[in-house]
Amino acid sequence: MKKIPFVSKKSVEEIVKTYPTPFHIYDEKGIRENAKALKEAFSWNKGYKEYFAVKATPNPFLIKILKEYGCGCDCSSYSELMLSEAIGVVGEDIMFSSNDTPREDFEYAAKLGATINLDDFTHIAFLEEVLGKLPETLSIRFNPGGVFKISNGIMDNPGDAKYGFTKEQMFEGYKILKEKGVKRLGMHAFLASNTVTNDYYPTLARQLFEVVVEIKETLGISIDFINLSGGIGVAYRPDQEPNDIRVIGAKVKDVYDEILVPAGLSEVAIFTELGRFMMAPYGMLVTKAIHEKHTHKEYIGVDACAVNLMRPAMYGAYHHITVLGKEDAEANCKYDVTGSLCENNDKFAIDRMLPKIEKGDYLAIHDTGAHGFAMGYNYNGKLKSAELLLKEDGSVQMIRRAETPQDYFATFDCFPEYDSITRKQ
């Protein structure tokens, strides 16, 4: 599948007159169409709700778009709870899924009325101590251990993950929660990341549904909601077939009807916590080629770096690159595309075949709408870029300004020479 950027060389040349590169830009039309498709795919379940994984793209402008389609927020920290509250996402519209959780985070989540998803058996007693009594609604995160497989092989290794209850702990946990007056119970599981197959959710659903039936039969406890969490990925490579959310939703329904309905559990709500699937394809990092280097390899240096997109440096992750204006040119040059950090892994591509790149060319790095800007940092004193929104009418809105040196030095306001540093801007 050919990856087509949602901006052109001509449109970028107009944008940079106001907002210099590098910048992340998001496609409002694509975000809206995807959110609508997800909602339709699970419309068969009357309790269905998507809790957008705030960690993926913590920008209130973008989350408010998803809010229009009934999406809540999946939060995992105090600051993410603050962001959600600020845009009016509170109460049961928040799923709080954290680990190694400070008491103040639990206090704030409870104050907002969020649904707390417990990550560890000991957190039952800890939460009760923090709040005085347990909330009426609680969820438990399940980790079955071992490896997670589907028909085409091993997807991930939950046994090595730090998250969740064992099956035995979960059964005991539900008994304790019920005894302590918790009225509404949920189950959550995240067993594989960035899967590009329509079979992941249905396979996960089958495993969870069977455990939910076992809980009812052995403990007499009915689970009210099942959170399939995230894990539905995106096709980062052009040769990958993207997930079809409507097919996924229909397959989950088939498993639901096969397992839960005959067990008298036809009212169980299905939740999701998608981040990457919701945003990644609808964001791009636009950067400018500013240097070329000819040594043992051919290098193109751009004005972005791993501060703007860490995934290639951190994971060796593939992100497709389009040289704007040269979409149809032959990819007959092999380059390492690099940033300027004092780290050799600061590369957006290694040995990538691309059209001939000249200084001044604009490069669009695809699929950065999730875990792109969000993972940024300030190593080497580099500053994070602006975030822009390409609106449905074709206009461009800044939804986060670029950092300035004053932002970088702001936490040194206790340093005697602070004023002299910031005045040099």
Side-chain angles (χ1 to χ4, degrees):
M1 182 189 74
K2 186 175 181 180
K3 282 189 171 288
I4 301 173
F6 54 80
V7 293
S8 64
K9 179 182 178 181
K10 182 178 179 181
S11 63
V12 167
E13 286 174 339
E14 284 300 311
I15 293 169
V16 298
K17 292 176 182 178
T18 306
Y19 308 109
T21 55
F23 53 77
H24 284 271
I25 187 165
Y26 305 90
D27 177 22
E28 180 183 10
K29 181 180 179 182
I31 292 169
R32 289 185 179 279
E33 289 177 350
N34 192 49
K36 182 181 177 184
L38 173 68
K39 187 174 181 179
E40 291 173 354
F42 285 90
S43 60
W44 54 267
N45 182 262
K46 67 179 182 180
Y48 173 73
K49 192 171 187 67
E50 154 66 6
Y51 293 87
F52 174 67
V54 174
K55 65 180 76 67
T57 319
N59 189 299
F61 288 87
L62 302 177
I63 299 172
K64 285 178 75 173
I65 293 174
L66 298 181
K67 184 172 180 278
E68 293 179 31
Y69 296 87
C71 298
C73 288
D74 161 38
C75 299
S76 58
S77 71
Y78 198 98
S79 297
E80 290 179 356
L81 289 168
M82 290 177 66
L83 189 157
S84 297
E85 183 184 19
I87 61 176
V89 178
V90 295
E92 291 187 354
D93 286 339
I94 299 176
M95 180 70 64
F96 184 64
S97 297
S98 61
N99 68 95
D100 193 19
T101 310
R103 64 183 302 126
E104 56 267 25
D105 290 27
F106 275 143
E107 289 171 342
Y108 190 16
K111 176 185 174 184
L112 294 180
T115 297
I116 293 173
N117 182 36
L118 296 170
D119 179 69
D120 180 67
F121 184 81
T122 66
H123 287 181
I124 297 174
F126 181 67
L127 184 64
E128 186 174 28
E129 175 196 335
V130 168
L131 302 181
K133 62 176 294 188
L134 295 176
E136 291 190 352
T137 299
L138 279 173
S139 178
I140 286 178
R141 183 167 185 169
F142 174 41
N143 182 339
V147 295
F148 182 77
K149 299 179 181 180
I150 61 175
S151 57
N152 60 353
I154 294 173
M155 301 301 294
D156 219 321
N157 190 357
D160 279 347
K162 67 176 181 175
Y163 310 105
F165 289 52
T166 67
K167 184 176 179 180
E168 294 75 17
Q169 289 174 334
M170 183 172 65
F171 275 56
E172 182 64 22
Y174 283 129
K175 286 196 294 184
I176 293 171
L177 296 183
K178 203 68 176 176
E179 290 167 359
K180 290 182 175 291
V182 177
K183 296 178 180 178
R184 192 162 176 260
L185 295 168
M187 181 185 294
H188 172 288
F190 179 86
L191 302 187
S193 179
N194 192 35
T195 62
V196 188
T197 167
N198 292 332
D199 291 329
Y200 168 61
Y201 254 12
T203 304
L204 171 64
R206 178 176 295 278
Q207 184 169 341
L208 299 186
F209 294 172
E210 288 174 348
V211 174
V212 166
V213 171
E214 185 180 349
I215 289 169
K216 182 183 179 184
E217 291 176 347
T218 60
L219 303 180
I221 294 173
S222 293
I223 302 302
D224 297 283
F225 59 88
I226 298 171
N227 190 334
L228 301 177
S229 189
I232 296 180
V234 299
Y236 285 103
R237 296 178 179 272
D239 58 354
Q240 290 178 300
E241 184 69 26
N243 287 315
D244 186 329
I245 196 61
R246 289 185 172 86
V247 171
I248 292 170
K251 286 189 172 187
V252 173
K253 181 181 187 301
D254 289 343
V255 182
Y256 189 99
D257 290 343
E258 175 191 341
I259 298 173
L260 293 184
V261 173
L265 294 167
S266 59
E267 299 299 312
V268 175
I270 300 298
F271 298 161
T272 56
E273 290 176 350
L274 298 168
R276 191 189 315 264
F277 177 81
M278 299 300 290
M279 286 288 184
Y282 313 108
M284 292 192 303
L285 174 60
V286 177
T287 183
K288 185 178 181 179
I290 58 174
H291 289 290
E292 56 185 62
K293 184 174 183 177
H294 317 284
T295 55
H296 304 291
K297 303 181 76 173
E298 293 295 304
Y299 295 95
I300 292 295
V302 298
D303 59 4
C305 63
V307 164
N308 309 109
L309 177 63
M310 189 193 288
R311 295 186 74 253
M314 188 173 185
Y315 304 124
Y318 180 95
H319 281 265
H320 197 66
I321 296 175
T322 296
V323 184
L324 296 178
K326 299 181 179 179
E327 289 85 350
D328 297 322
E330 184 180 357
N332 56 3
C333 297
K334 184 186 291 187
Y335 295 113
D336 281 13
V337 180
T338 75
S340 58
L341 293 187
C342 298
E343 294 290 339
N344 193 48
N345 67 351
D346 182 19
K347 297 177 180 181
F348 296 111
I350 297 174
D351 293 332
R352 185 75 61 86
M353 298 304 297
L354 293 165
K356 172 68 175 174
I357 298 174
E358 297 163 310
K359 286 188 286 186
D361 280 345
Y362 293 105
L363 279 62
I365 303 177
H366 292 252
D367 303 314
T368 69
H371 311 290
F373 181 95
M375 293 178 72
Y377 59 128
N378 289 118
Y379 183 59
N380 271 177
K382 295 290 185 177
L383 305 175
K384 288 188 270 187
S385 69
E387 290 183 292
L388 310 177
L389 179 64
L390 175 63
K391 298 178 74 66
E392 288 187 293
D393 63 7
S395 63
V396 173
Q397 177 186 2
M398 181 173 67
I399 57 175
R400 190 196 302 262
R401 66 167 174 81
E403 287 184 333
T404 67
Q406 189 168 3
D407 296 317
Y408 179 73
F409 291 112
T411 51
F412 287 123
D413 55 4
C414 56
F415 183 60
E417 288 81 15
Y418 169 74
D419 289 338
S420 66
I421 297 173
T422 56
R423 281 199 300 269
K424 291 180 181 179
Q425 293 184 55

